[in-house]
Amino acid sequence: MRLRRCHALLIEPRETRELDIAAVFAGEARMRSRIEWRGLAAHRDDCVTLSDAEVLALGEVSSTDWTEGEDFVRKHGEAVVRRLLDNGLLETEDAPDAGDAIVREGHWHRIAAVAHRHLRWQDTDTQKTTEALAGDSSLPPMLERLGPPPPPVAPRVDAARRQPLPASPETGFDRLLSRRVTCRNFDPARPLPLAMLATILQQVHGARATAEVTGVPLLKKAVPSAGGLHPVEAWLLVRRVDGLAPGLYHYHSTDHALEPMRALDAEEADGLALRFVAGQTWFAQAPVYVMLVARFQRNFWKYRGHAKAYRAVILDAGHLSQAQYQLATELGLGAFITAAANEGEIERALGLEPMRDGVLAVTGFGYRAGEMVDLEFDPLKAVWPAPA
Ligand SMILES: Cc1cc2nc3c(=O)[nH]c(=O)nc-3n(C[C@H](O)[C@H](O)[C@H](O)COP(=O)(O)O)c2cc1C
């Protein structure tokens, strides 16, 4: 038997604070620290608590070359090696780990791979988490508890040394940007016309041109993308779009067509909508969501193991979202983005393998309701004029 370490593994000395029970029995309420080794592998959702002997063993085995198992067992003991095999941090040549192969062959940067895997959410409800982690998340108690935030601007020279700039003239673009306000009040009674959905998909997510550049197929889109590769694609949860059956879809960006993945009944679609955005009821009324999903290997094919590749892919999601916000605003719609998404649940629903197709954000758009129930940030009163 020959074995090797999994491709991407970080070992963290994880510190947890807990009540010191011995002190409590002695009549004193005191917290104490506990530090344990935690192994975070890019092909596993769980993190593995490791003994000193297991950490040592992992530090003595290659993740690339196969090592003779017998020598390794002799040195580190059968129990250590068995446990590392059982929890997937080691693999054998005759039964390689399929999940590890995806990371290995996907040309991930190891730190990015572990960060991507372990910063995903599974079945989180932000309403409960916010209460549990930080208490009331409205601003006055937060200010009281956390003190003031850093100032909005950090001056680097004295005010007298600042060079004033001419004010920009008011333009249509300027007025459009003023009306771009994250929407938290969608009209549940007003479906989205198919033509509007199609316009946003074509203009924001569609390929404007395809080009072979020295044999490499590149796309031209509304937004920039590292290497012209455009790895971030639109996947849809459709609930109330005229002329389109509720369900999950993938947008084909060069054919400008929807690929049906799964039909949904209204109840199932409503449940997914709420859980995809981790319980944020104010987004869950949007008639359509667009999940921004990165097909990592499209970028990593070129930027192999590159320290900047993961960041470049995430930047694409920001560009796409802003273009979508702007076009939705121009069409008289409200739009949103959230990173507080339950990636795990979205992956399950869409049948995605997270190290191949990674959910980066949930966005959505639709008609605004006539009344603001959930707060929107509109200090310019461009969307919600002050009552007369
Ligand atoms: C990456 C990202 C994540 C966001 N996540 C949330 C969120 O989870 N919930 C929410 O209500 N708004 C979310 N927002 C919207 C911001 O709260 C909003 O952009 C901000 O308050 C400024 O308001 P504006 O977009 O109307 O200018 C997010 C925005 C961004 C860019």
Side-chain angles (χ1 to χ4, degrees), residues 284-341:
Q285 290 294 355
V288 62
Y289 286 178
V290 173
M291 276 71 69
L292 302 178
V293 178
R295 201 151 47 88
F296 292 115
Q297 283 161 35
R298 170 89 179 146
N299 174 289
F300 298 172
W301 162 80
K302 177 174 178 184
Y303 301 106
R304 295 191 171 203
H306 198 298
K308 301 295 174 183
Y310 183 60
R311 190 190 307 191
V313 170
I314 293 175
L315 284 168
D316 281 15
H319 296 135
L320 289 163
S321 167
Q322 175 65 6
Q324 193 172 272
Y325 261 100
Q326 287 176 204
L327 182 51
T329 305
E330 185 169 275
L331 294 171
L333 304 172
F336 76 88
I337 179 170
T338 179

Coordinates of all heavy atoms in Angstrom, one line a residue, residues 284-341:
A284 N -36.6 37.6 -0.1 CA -37.2 36.4 -0.5 C -38.5 36.6 -1.4 O -39.0 35.7 -1.9 CB -37.5 35.5 0.7
Q285 N -38.9 37.9 -1.5 CA -40.1 38.1 -2.3 C -39.7 38.5 -3.8 O -40.6 38.7 -4.6 CB -40.9 39.3 -1.8 CG -41.6 39.0 -0.5 CD -42.7 38.0 -0.7 OE1 -43.0 37.6 -1.8 NE2 -43.3 37.5 0.4
A286 N -38.4 38.5 -4.1 CA -38.0 38.9 -5.4 C -38.5 37.8 -6.4 O -38.4 36.6 -6.1 CB -36.5 39.0 -5.5
P287 N -39.0 38.1 -7.5 CA -39.6 37.1 -8.4 C -38.6 36.2 -9.1 O -38.9 35.1 -9.5 CB -40.3 38.0 -9.5 CG -39.6 39.3 -9.5 CD -39.2 39.5 -8.0
V288 N -37.3 36.7 -9.1 CA -36.3 35.8 -9.7 C -34.9 36.1 -8.9 O -34.7 37.2 -8.5 CB -36.1 36.1 -11.2 CG1 -35.7 37.5 -11.5 CG2 -35.1 35.1 -11.8
Y289 N -34.2 35.1 -8.7 CA -32.8 35.2 -8.2 C -31.9 34.8 -9.3 O -32.2 33.9 -10.1 CB -32.5 34.2 -7.1 CG -33.1 34.4 -5.7 CD1 -32.9 33.4 -4.7 CD2 -33.9 35.5 -5.4 CE1 -33.4 33.6 -3.5 CE2 -34.4 35.7 -4.1 CZ -34.1 34.7 -3.2 OH -34.6 34.8 -1.9
V290 N -30.7 35.5 -9.4 CA -29.6 35.0 -10.2 C -28.4 34.7 -9.3 O -27.9 35.6 -8.6 CB -29.2 36.1 -11.2 CG1 -27.9 35.7 -12.0 CG2 -30.3 36.4 -12.2
M291 N -28.1 33.4 -9.2 CA -27.0 33.0 -8.4 C -25.7 33.2 -9.3 O -25.7 32.7 -10.4 CB -27.1 31.5 -8.0 CG -27.9 31.3 -6.7 SD -29.7 31.6 -6.9 CE -30.1 30.3 -8.0
L292 N -24.7 33.8 -8.7 CA -23.5 34.0 -9.5 C -22.5 32.9 -9.1 O -22.1 32.7 -7.9 CB -22.8 35.4 -9.2 CG -23.7 36.6 -9.5 CD1 -23.1 37.9 -9.1 CD2 -24.1 36.6 -11.0
V293 N -22.3 32.0 -10.1 CA -21.6 30.8 -9.8 C -20.3 30.7 -10.7 O -20.4 30.8 -11.9 CB -22.5 29.5 -10.1 CG1 -21.7 28.2 -9.9 CG2 -23.7 29.6 -9.2
A294 N -19.2 30.5 -10.0 CA -17.9 30.5 -10.7 C -17.5 29.1 -11.2 O -17.5 28.2 -10.4 CB -16.8 31.0 -9.8
R295 N -17.3 28.9 -12.5 CA -16.7 27.7 -13.0 C -15.2 27.9 -12.9 O -14.6 28.3 -13.9 CB -17.2 27.5 -14.4 CG -17.2 26.1 -14.9 CD -18.3 25.8 -16.0 NE -18.3 26.9 -17.0 CZ -17.6 26.9 -18.1 NH1 -16.8 25.9 -18.4 NH2 -17.7 27.9 -18.9
F296 N -14.7 27.5 -11.7 CA -13.3 27.9 -11.4 C -12.3 27.4 -12.5 O -11.3 28.2 -12.8 CB -12.9 27.3 -10.0 CG -13.6 27.9 -8.9 CD1 -14.5 27.2 -8.1 CD2 -13.5 29.3 -8.6 CE1 -15.2 27.7 -7.1 CE2 -14.1 29.8 -7.5 CZ -15.0 29.1 -6.8
Q297 N -12.5 26.2 -13.0 CA -11.5 25.7 -13.9 C -11.3 26.5 -15.1 O -10.2 26.4 -15.8 CB -11.7 24.2 -14.1 CG -11.3 23.4 -12.9 CD -11.9 22.0 -12.8 OE1 -12.1 21.4 -13.8 NE2 -12.2 21.6 -11.6
R298 N -12.3 27.3 -15.5 CA -12.2 28.1 -16.7 C -11.1 29.2 -16.5 O -10.3 29.4 -17.4 CB -13.6 28.7 -17.0 CG -13.6 29.8 -18.0 CD -13.8 29.3 -19.4 NE -13.8 30.5 -20.3 CZ -13.4 30.5 -21.6 NH1 -12.9 29.4 -22.1 NH2 -13.4 31.6 -22.3
N299 N -11.0 29.7 -15.3 CA -10.0 30.7 -15.0 C -8.7 30.0 -14.6 O -7.6 30.3 -15.1 CB -10.4 31.6 -13.8 CG -9.3 32.5 -13.3 OD1 -8.4 32.1 -12.7 ND2 -9.4 33.8 -13.6
F300 N -8.8 28.9 -13.8 CA -7.6 28.3 -13.3 C -6.8 27.5 -14.4 O -5.7 27.1 -14.2 CB -7.9 27.3 -12.1 CG -8.5 28.0 -10.9 CD1 -9.0 27.3 -9.8 CD2 -8.6 29.4 -10.8 CE1 -9.5 27.9 -8.7 CE2 -9.1 30.0 -9.6 CZ -9.6 29.3 -8.6
W301 N -7.5 27.2 -15.5 CA -6.8 26.6 -16.6 C -5.6 27.5 -17.0 O -4.5 26.9 -17.2 CB -7.8 26.5 -17.8 CG -7.0 26.3 -19.1 CD1 -6.6 25.1 -19.6 CD2 -6.7 27.3 -20.1 NE1 -5.9 25.3 -20.8 CE2 -6.0 26.7 -21.1 CE3 -6.9 28.7 -20.1 CZ2 -5.5 27.4 -22.2 CZ3 -6.4 29.4 -21.2 CH2 -5.7 28.7 -22.3
K302 N -5.8 28.8 -16.9 CA -4.7 29.7 -17.3 C -3.9 30.1 -16.0 O -2.7 30.0 -16.1 CB -5.2 30.9 -18.0 CG -4.2 32.0 -18.3 CD -4.8 33.1 -19.1 CE -3.7 34.2 -19.4 NZ -4.3 35.4 -20.1
Y303 N -4.6 30.5 -15.0 CA -3.9 31.0 -13.8 C -3.7 29.8 -12.8 O -4.3 29.8 -11.7 CB -4.7 32.2 -13.2 CG -4.8 33.3 -14.2 CD1 -6.0 33.6 -14.8 CD2 -3.7 34.1 -14.5 CE1 -6.1 34.6 -15.8 CE2 -3.8 35.1 -15.5 CZ -5.0 35.3 -16.1 OH -5.1 36.3 -17.0
R304 N -2.9 28.8 -13.1 CA -2.8 27.6 -12.4 C -2.1 27.8 -11.0 O -1.0 28.4 -11.0 CB -1.9 26.6 -13.1 CG -2.6 26.2 -14.4 CD -2.0 25.0 -15.1 NE -2.9 24.7 -16.1 CZ -3.1 23.5 -16.7 NH1 -2.3 22.5 -16.3 NH2 -3.9 23.3 -17.6
G305 N -2.8 27.4 -10.0 CA -2.2 27.6 -8.6 C -1.8 29.0 -8.3 O -0.9 29.2 -7.5
H306 N -2.3 30.0 -9.0 CA -1.9 31.4 -8.9 C -2.5 32.0 -7.7 O -3.7 31.9 -7.4 CB -2.4 32.1 -10.2 CG -1.8 33.4 -10.5 ND1 -1.8 34.5 -9.7 CD2 -1.1 33.8 -11.6 CE1 -1.2 35.5 -10.3 NE2 -0.7 35.1 -11.4
A307 N -1.7 32.8 -7.0 CA -2.1 33.4 -5.8 C -3.2 34.4 -6.0 O -4.0 34.8 -5.0 CB -0.9 34.1 -5.1
K308 N -3.4 35.0 -7.2 CA -4.4 36.0 -7.4 C -5.7 35.5 -8.1 O -6.6 36.2 -8.3 CB -3.8 37.1 -8.3 CG -2.6 37.8 -7.8 CD -2.9 38.5 -6.5 CE -1.7 39.1 -5.9 NZ -1.9 39.8 -4.6
A309 N -5.6 34.2 -8.5 CA -6.7 33.7 -9.4 C -8.1 33.7 -8.7 O -9.1 34.2 -9.2 CB -6.4 32.3 -9.8
Y310 N -8.1 33.3 -7.4 CA -9.4 33.2 -6.7 C -10.0 34.6 -6.5 O -11.2 34.9 -6.7 CB -9.2 32.5 -5.4 CG -10.5 32.3 -4.6 CD1 -11.5 31.5 -5.1 CD2 -10.6 32.8 -3.3 CE1 -12.7 31.3 -4.3 CE2 -11.7 32.6 -2.5 CZ -12.8 31.8 -3.0 OH -13.9 31.6 -2.3
R311 N -9.1 35.6 -6.2 CA -9.6 36.9 -6.0 C -10.1 37.5 -7.4 O -11.1 38.2 -7.4 CB -8.4 37.8 -5.5 CG -8.9 39.2 -5.1 CD -7.8 40.2 -4.9 NE -6.8 39.7 -3.9 CZ -5.8 40.4 -3.4 NH1 -5.7 41.7 -3.7 NH2 -5.0 39.9 -2.6
A312 N -9.4 37.2 -8.4 CA -9.9 37.7 -9.8 C -11.2 37.1 -10.1 O -12.1 37.9 -10.6 CB -8.9 37.2 -10.8
V313 N -11.5 35.9 -9.8 CA -12.8 35.3 -10.0 C -13.9 36.0 -9.2 O -15.0 36.3 -9.7 CB -12.8 33.8 -9.7 CG1 -14.2 33.2 -9.8 CG2 -11.9 33.1 -10.7
I314 N -13.6 36.3 -8.0 CA -14.6 36.9 -7.1 C -14.9 38.3 -7.6 O -16.1 38.8 -7.5 CB -14.1 36.9 -5.6 CG1 -14.1 35.5 -5.1 CG2 -15.1 37.8 -4.8 CD1 -13.5 35.4 -3.7
L315 N -13.9 39.0 -8.1 CA -14.1 40.4 -8.6 C -15.1 40.4 -9.7 O -15.9 41.3 -9.9 CB -12.8 41.0 -9.1 CG -11.8 41.4 -8.0 CD1 -10.5 41.8 -8.5 CD2 -12.4 42.7 -7.3
D316 N -15.1 39.3 -10.6 CA -16.1 39.2 -11.6 C -17.5 39.3 -11.1 O -18.4 39.9 -11.7 CB -15.9 37.9 -12.4 CG -14.8 37.9 -13.4 OD1 -13.9 38.8 -13.3 OD2 -14.7 37.1 -14.3
A317 N -17.8 38.7 -10.0 CA -19.1 38.7 -9.4 C -19.5 40.1 -9.1 O -20.7 40.5 -9.3 CB -19.2 37.8 -8.2
G318 N -18.6 40.9 -8.5 CA -18.9 42.3 -8.2 C -19.2 43.1 -9.5 O -20.2 43.9 -9.5
H319 N -18.4 42.9 -10.5 CA -18.7 43.6 -11.8 C -20.1 43.3 -12.3 O -20.9 44.1 -12.7 CB -17.7 43.3 -12.8 CG -16.3 43.7 -12.4 ND1 -15.2 42.9 -12.6 CD2 -15.8 44.9 -11.9 CE1 -14.1 43.6 -12.1 NE2 -14.5 44.8 -11.7
L320 N -20.4 42.0 -12.3 CA -21.7 41.5 -12.9 C -22.8 42.1 -12.1 O -23.8 42.5 -12.6 CB -21.7 40.0 -12.9 CG -20.8 39.3 -13.9 CD1 -20.7 37.8 -13.6 CD2 -21.4 39.5 -15.3
S321 N -22.7 42.0 -10.7 CA -23.8 42.5 -9.9 C -24.0 44.0 -10.1 O -25.2 44.5 -10.2 CB -23.4 42.3 -8.4 OG -24.3 43.0 -7.6
Q322 N -22.9 44.8 -10.2 CA -23.1 46.2 -10.4 C -23.8 46.5 -11.8 O -24.7 47.3 -11.9 CB -21.8 47.0 -10.3 CG -21.9 48.5 -10.7 CD -22.7 49.3 -9.7 OE1 -23.2 48.8 -8.7 NE2 -22.9 50.6 -10.0
A323 N -23.4 45.8 -12.8 CA -24.0 46.0 -14.1 C -25.5 45.6 -14.0 O -26.4 46.3 -14.6 CB -23.3 45.1 -15.2
Q324 N -25.8 44.6 -13.3 CA -27.2 44.1 -13.1 C -28.0 45.2 -12.4 O -29.1 45.5 -12.7 CB -27.2 42.8 -12.4 CG -28.5 42.0 -12.5 CD -28.3 40.6 -11.9 OE1 -28.0 39.7 -12.6 NE2 -28.6 40.5 -10.6
Y325 N -27.4 45.7 -11.3 CA -28.1 46.8 -10.5 C -28.4 47.9 -11.5 O -29.5 48.5 -11.4 CB -27.1 47.3 -9.5 CG -27.3 46.8 -8.1 CD1 -26.4 45.8 -7.5 CD2 -28.2 47.4 -7.2 CE1 -26.5 45.4 -6.2 CE2 -28.2 47.0 -5.8 CZ -27.4 46.0 -5.4 OH -27.5 45.6 -4.1
Q326 N -27.4 48.3 -12.3 CA -27.6 49.5 -13.1 C -28.7 49.3 -14.2 O -29.6 50.1 -14.4 CB -26.3 49.9 -13.8 CG -25.3 50.5 -12.8 CD -24.0 50.9 -13.4 OE1 -23.0 50.9 -12.7 NE2 -23.9 51.1 -14.7
L327 N -28.7 48.1 -14.8 CA -29.7 47.9 -15.9 C -31.1 47.7 -15.2 O -32.1 48.2 -15.7 CB -29.3 46.6 -16.7 CG -30.2 46.3 -17.8 CD1 -30.5 47.5 -18.7 CD2 -29.6 45.1 -18.7
A328 N -31.1 47.0 -14.1 CA -32.4 46.8 -13.4 C -33.0 48.2 -13.1 O -34.2 48.5 -13.3 CB -32.3 46.0 -12.2
T329 N -32.1 49.1 -12.6 CA -32.5 50.5 -12.2 C -33.1 51.2 -13.4 O -34.1 51.8 -13.4 CB -31.4 51.2 -11.6 OG1 -30.9 50.5 -10.5 CG2 -31.8 52.6 -11.1
E330 N -32.4 51.1 -14.5 CA -32.8 51.7 -15.8 C -34.2 51.2 -16.2 O -35.0 51.9 -16.8 CB -31.8 51.5 -16.9 CG -32.1 52.3 -18.2 CD -31.0 52.2 -19.1 OE1 -30.1 53.1 -19.0 OE2 -31.0 51.4 -20.0
L331 N -34.4 49.9 -16.0 CA -35.7 49.3 -16.4 C -36.8 49.6 -15.4 O -37.9 49.1 -15.5 CB -35.5 47.8 -16.5 CG -34.6 47.3 -17.7 CD1 -34.4 45.8 -17.6 CD2 -35.2 47.7 -19.0
G332 N -36.5 50.3 -14.3 CA -37.5 50.7 -13.3 C -37.7 49.6 -12.3 O -38.7 49.5 -11.6
L333 N -36.7 48.7 -12.1 CA -36.8 47.6 -11.2 C -35.9 47.9 -10.0 O -35.0 48.7 -10.0 CB -36.3 46.3 -11.8 CG -37.1 45.9 -13.1 CD1 -36.4 44.6 -13.7 CD2 -38.6 45.6 -12.8
G334 N -36.1 47.1 -8.9 CA -35.2 47.1 -7.8 C -34.3 45.9 -7.9 O -34.7 44.8 -8.4
A335 N -33.1 46.0 -7.3 CA -32.1 44.8 -7.4 C -31.4 44.7 -6.0 O -31.4 45.6 -5.2 CB -31.1 45.0 -8.5
F336 N -30.9 43.5 -5.8 CA -30.1 43.3 -4.6 C -28.9 42.3 -4.9 O -28.9 41.6 -5.9 CB -30.9 42.7 -3.5 CG -31.3 41.3 -3.6 CD1 -30.4 40.3 -3.1 CD2 -32.4 40.9 -4.2 CE1 -30.7 38.9 -3.2 CE2 -32.7 39.5 -4.3 CZ -31.9 38.5 -3.8
I337 N -28.0 42.3 -4.0 CA -27.0 41.3 -3.9 C -26.8 40.9 -2.4 O -27.0 41.7 -1.6 CB -25.6 41.7 -4.5 CG1 -24.6 40.6 -4.4 CG2 -25.0 42.9 -3.8 CD1 -23.3 40.8 -5.1
T338 N -26.5 39.6 -2.2 CA -26.2 39.2 -0.8 C -25.1 38.2 -0.9 O -25.1 37.3 -1.7 CB -27.4 38.7 0.0 OG1 -26.9 38.4 1.3 CG2 -28.1 37.6 -0.6
A339 N -24.1 38.3 0.1 CA -23.1 37.3 0.3 C -23.5 36.3 1.4 O -22.9 35.3 1.6 CB -21.8 37.9 0.6
A340 N -24.6 36.7 2.1 CA -25.1 35.9 3.2 C -26.0 34.8 2.5 O -27.2 34.8 2.7 CB -25.9 36.7 4.2
A341 N -25.4 33.9 1.8 CA -26.1 32.9 1.1 C -25.7 31.5 1.6 O -24.6 31.4 2.1 CB -25.7 33.0 -0.4

